[in-house]
């Protein structure tokens, strides 16, 4: 069943290269570019006909240097990062002489078997789990992407989204670059391949200075690993280490989230810093900065929704931030009730904080089917509707006769909340108060999160009172912006992280970079 639903195709191996025009480099998914999945059932909402749409995950990246079974280690790391992207995955490995890569559509576990991993020898590897933001969800755009250059073969895995694609791509094509993919990520390695600097690390630094937007990347050659973060540090990227036994050299690990380290017994060492380029080679770890003048603007939404609570993001436990968001929400918008119920999974930790602060008992009034992932509800609107009912089921015995505070992390179009409020009320709750652990999402993201255009964001077009009416809750309140950024820094602060270190553009419309797509930020009223 899950195979049928989760993937359009499963193909292992490298797809033939196709050149493409820069016009094709656009956010295809935002324009509904993905293939529908036929489930053979009517997926429309029988109650109100409203389709679902949701936030979609980001990519996960992973790199290993100096381990005899680097590909297998990368596989385990990618397994932990599966929540960041479920469309395609890939691993590239090297043994000092040759680079091999295997990519496929679907989940990590569906692509990589023992036999497949056996075809990826070497002590160096990088890996990727993809959720597409630019370029189709197709094998062609699966990562790592490899490009042959005068400095040898370079492979890249990218989390983020670049925003100055057109000009960079046109320039590269004039210089003779032949693009293999329609994804933004390839621009980075094409820039590196076309750089005339003398050393590879100089070529990389020069290329990274030319691209704008969000990039947390890992790269490899036949004998080196590189990791870099854009100067704003939009996306996370952590560095860890497995101590070598009996005097053997250490293994270095890079991952989008530190939860990927735990399975490998790697210790979190530090984050790759915004604007930093790290190289790991036979000579050890070296670091340089390609930009030190840009202010940090790390995505606050990683702490709200994307990352796993058992990860450290920007050096701070996500669990700690989420629990504090819930506590702050209770302080800001308390309500008399009998039961605090989380909308699993992402609402759970904030609900624990809300219950602790308010003194209202906590319980799982909605049970999540664990065989339905985030993936199930993402590809297409009619699928998402069916997905939420398959995914969440109410516990009538807990909800009957109760005044319920329902905690979720975000409302995007509002259709999920509407269905869940109805579900809880239908299960016997006498009152349903909805509390959201972030501010209203009023503007789209251009930095690697596939939020819908402004015209489809409910909070961009309706007041909180109107949203409350739409979702049919007895009351609705969101966490304040100040409450959110403080919740992400309060208590044990991570080194260098302050309330001002975050990008909060989807709540304020105030973007840290100049470039935005005007058509995406028009409200519904002017585009209808
Ligand atoms: O307002 P909407 O557009 O309907 O979407 C908002 C919902 O989508 C996300 O959950 P999702 O089910 O994707 O993931 P989760 O299981 O990690 O919570 C988010 O946590 C909200 O629950
Ligand atoms: N979600 C992401 O980080 C996507 C990476 C890249 N922009 C792609 O579309 O492949
Ligand atoms: S716009 Fe929102 S989702 Fe995008 S990087 Fe900024 S905070 Fe994160
Ligand atoms: Mg959710």
């Amino acid at each position: 069943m899950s195979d049928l639903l989760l993937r359009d195709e499963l193909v292992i191996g490298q797809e033939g290269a196709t050149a493409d025009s820069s016009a094709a480099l656009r956010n295809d998914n935002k324009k509904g570019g993905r293939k529908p999945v036929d489930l053979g059932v009517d997926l429309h909402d029988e109650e109100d006909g409203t389709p679902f749409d949701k936030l979609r995950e980001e990519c996960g990246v992973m790199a290993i240097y100096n381990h005899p079974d680097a590909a297998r280690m990368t596989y385990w790391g990618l397994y932990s990062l599966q929540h960041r992207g479920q469309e395609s995955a890939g691993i590239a490995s090297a043994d000092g002489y040759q680079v091999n890569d295997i990519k496929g559509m679907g989940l990590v576990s569906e692509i990589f078997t023992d036999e497949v991993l056996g075809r990826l020898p070497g002590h160096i590897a990088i890996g990727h789990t993809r959720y597409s933001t630019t370029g189709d969800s197709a094998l062609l755009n699966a990562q790592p992407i490899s490009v042959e250059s005068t400095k040898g073969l370079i492979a890249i895995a990218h989390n983020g989204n670049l925003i100055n694609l057109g000009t960079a791509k046109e320039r590269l094509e004039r210089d003779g670059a032949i693009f293999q993919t329609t994804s933004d990520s390839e621009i980075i390695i094409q820039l590196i391949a076309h750089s005339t600097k003398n050393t590879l690390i100089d070529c990389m630094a020069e290329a990274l200075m030319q691209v704008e937007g969000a990039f947390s990347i890992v790269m490899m050659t036949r004998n080196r690993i590189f990791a870099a973060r854009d100067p704003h540090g939009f996306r996370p990227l952590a560095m860890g280490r497995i101590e070598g036994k009996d005097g053997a050299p250490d293994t270095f690990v890079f991952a989008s989230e530190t939860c990927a380290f735990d399975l490998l017994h790697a210790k979190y060492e530090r984050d790759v810093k915004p604007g930093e380029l790290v190289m790991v080679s036979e000579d050890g770890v070296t670091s340089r900065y390609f930009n030190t003048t840009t202010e940090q603007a790390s995505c606050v939404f990683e702490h709200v929704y994307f990352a796993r609570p058992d990860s450290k993001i920007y050096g701070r436990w996500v669990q700690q931030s989420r629990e504090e968001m819930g506590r702050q929400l209770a302080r800001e918008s308390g309500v008399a009730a009998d039961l605090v119920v989380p909308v699993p999974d992402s609402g759970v930790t904030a609900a624990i904080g809300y219950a602790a602060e308010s003194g209202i008992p906590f319980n799982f009034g909605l049970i999540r089917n664990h065989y339905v992932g985030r993936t199930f509800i993402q590809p297409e609107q009619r699928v998402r509707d069916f997905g939420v009912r398959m995914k969440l089921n109410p516990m009538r015995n807990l909800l009957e006769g109760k005044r319920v505070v329902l905690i979720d992390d975000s409302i995007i179009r509002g259709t999920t909340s509407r269905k869940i409020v109805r579900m809880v009320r239908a299960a016997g709750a006498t009152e349903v108060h909805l509390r959201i652990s972030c501010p209203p999402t009023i503007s789209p993201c251009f930095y690697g999160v596939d939020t819908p255009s402004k015209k489809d964001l409910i909070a961009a077009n309706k007041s909180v009172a109107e949203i409350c009416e739409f979702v049919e809750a007895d009351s609705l309140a969101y966490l304040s912006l100040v409450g959110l950024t403080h919740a992400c820094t309060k208590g044990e602060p991570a080194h260098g992280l302050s309330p001002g270190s975050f990008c909060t553009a989807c709540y304020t419309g105030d973007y840290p970079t100049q470039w935005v797509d005007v058509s995406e930020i028009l409200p519904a009223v002017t585009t209808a």
Side-chain angles (χ1 to χ4, degrees), residues 294-353:
T294 306
E295 273 187 33
Q296 186 175 355
S298 295
C299 175
V300 76
F301 206 57
E302 290 277 351
H303 275 265
V304 172
Y305 167 80
F306 284 115
R308 277 176 35 168
D310 54 335
S311 285
K312 269 190 171 179
I313 295 288
Y314 321 133
R316 179 181 165 89
W317 288 112
V318 173
Q319 182 279 335
Q320 196 185 353
S321 297
R322 281 193 196 157
E323 192 172 324
E324 189 49 39
M325 286 171 210
R327 285 181 177 275
Q328 180 61 22
L329 192 54
R331 288 192 284 268
E332 291 180 8
S333 315
V335 60
D338 307 308
L339 191 64
V340 172
V341 171
V343 180
D345 273 333
S346 48
V348 172
T349 317
I352 290 170

Side-chain angles (χ1 to χ4, degrees), residues 57-308:
E57 294 75 29
E58 301 174 75
C59 300
V61 299
M62 181 77 204
I64 302 275
Y65 181 87
N66 190 34
H67 191 282
D69 207 352
R72 193 171 301 268
M73 297 291 272
T74 303
Y75 166 78
W76 291 122
L78 292 182
Y79 224 111
S80 308
L81 299 175
Q82 186 72 83
H83 61 289
R84 295 183 71 87
Q86 300 105 31
E87 293 177 10
S88 59
I91 298 176
S93 74
D95 53 7
Y97 304 99
Q98 248 198 313
V99 179
N100 294 294
D101 72 57
I102 294 178
K103 301 183 267 190
M105 297 303 289
L107 300 179
V108 176
S109 59
E110 296 170 320
I111 300 160
F112 295 99
T113 58
D114 252 8
E115 189 273 318
V116 173
L117 286 169
R119 290 192 260 138
L120 290 167
H123 63 289
I124 300 176
I126 63 171
H128 192 258
T129 58
R130 181 171 191 237
Y131 174 70
S132 53
T133 58
T134 297
D136 284 332
S137 174
L139 184 60
L140 169 82
N141 290 327
Q143 300 195 25
I145 300 169
S146 307
V147 163
E148 196 59 71
S149 77
T150 49
K151 290 108 195 162
L153 194 123
I154 312 159
I156 189 171
H158 169 214
N159 171 208
N161 197 53
L162 306 183
I163 57 171
N164 64 347
L165 304 179
T167 44
K169 198 174 182 207
E170 273 161 29
R171 204 161 13 95
L172 280 163
E173 279 175 334
R174 271 201 306 275
D175 289 353
I178 297 169
F179 279 81
Q180 310 166 31
T181 75
T182 57
S183 114
D184 53 335
S185 315
E186 190 185 350
I187 286 187
I188 301 175
I189 34 171
Q190 290 285 6
L191 281 169
I192 296 168
H194 283 80
S195 168
T196 51
K197 295 277 178 198
N198 289 331
T199 65
L200 181 58
I201 193 91
D202 285 341
C203 294
M204 286 179 174
E206 185 186 62
L208 297 180
M209 281 191 282
Q210 292 175 57
V211 283
E212 260 184 73
F215 55 88
S216 278
I217 50 175
V218 290
M219 296 177 283
M220 66 183 283
T221 60
R222 64 182 174 79
N223 58 2
R224 282 181 284 178
I225 285 280
F226 304 85
R229 253 174 108 198
D230 67 74
H232 289 286
F234 280 113
R235 301 282 141 232
L237 187 57
M239 177 176 162
R241 188 192 287 252
I242 307 167
E243 256 178 55
K245 286 202 182 94
D246 307 322
D250 295 345
T251 299
F252 291 92
V253 186
F254 295 88
S256 296
E257 294 187 30
T258 62
C259 66
F261 294 164
D262 299 340
L263 207 52
L264 313 182
H265 300 292
K267 251 175 89 180
Y268 168 69
E269 199 147 273
R270 67 177 182 89
D271 274 12
V272 175
K273 297 275 168 2
E276 185 184 12
L277 170 59
V278 177
M279 176 174 83
V280 192
S281 69
E282 264 179 8
D283 304 324
V285 181
T286 53
S287 155
R288 66 189 276 179
Y289 285 83
F290 56 92
N291 181 314
T292 49
T293 53
T294 306
E295 273 187 33
Q296 186 175 355
S298 295
C299 175
V300 76
F301 206 57
E302 290 277 351
H303 275 265
V304 172
Y305 167 80
F306 284 115
R308 277 176 35 168

Side-chain angles (χ1 to χ4, degrees), residues 17 33 54 123 177 187 195 234 322 350 409 415 419 464-465 468 497 515:
K54 350 206 67 221
H123 63 289
I187 286 187
S195 168
F234 280 113
R322 281 193 196 157
D409 61 276
T415 43
K419 285 165 210 302
V464 174
C468 183
L497 201 64
W515 191 98

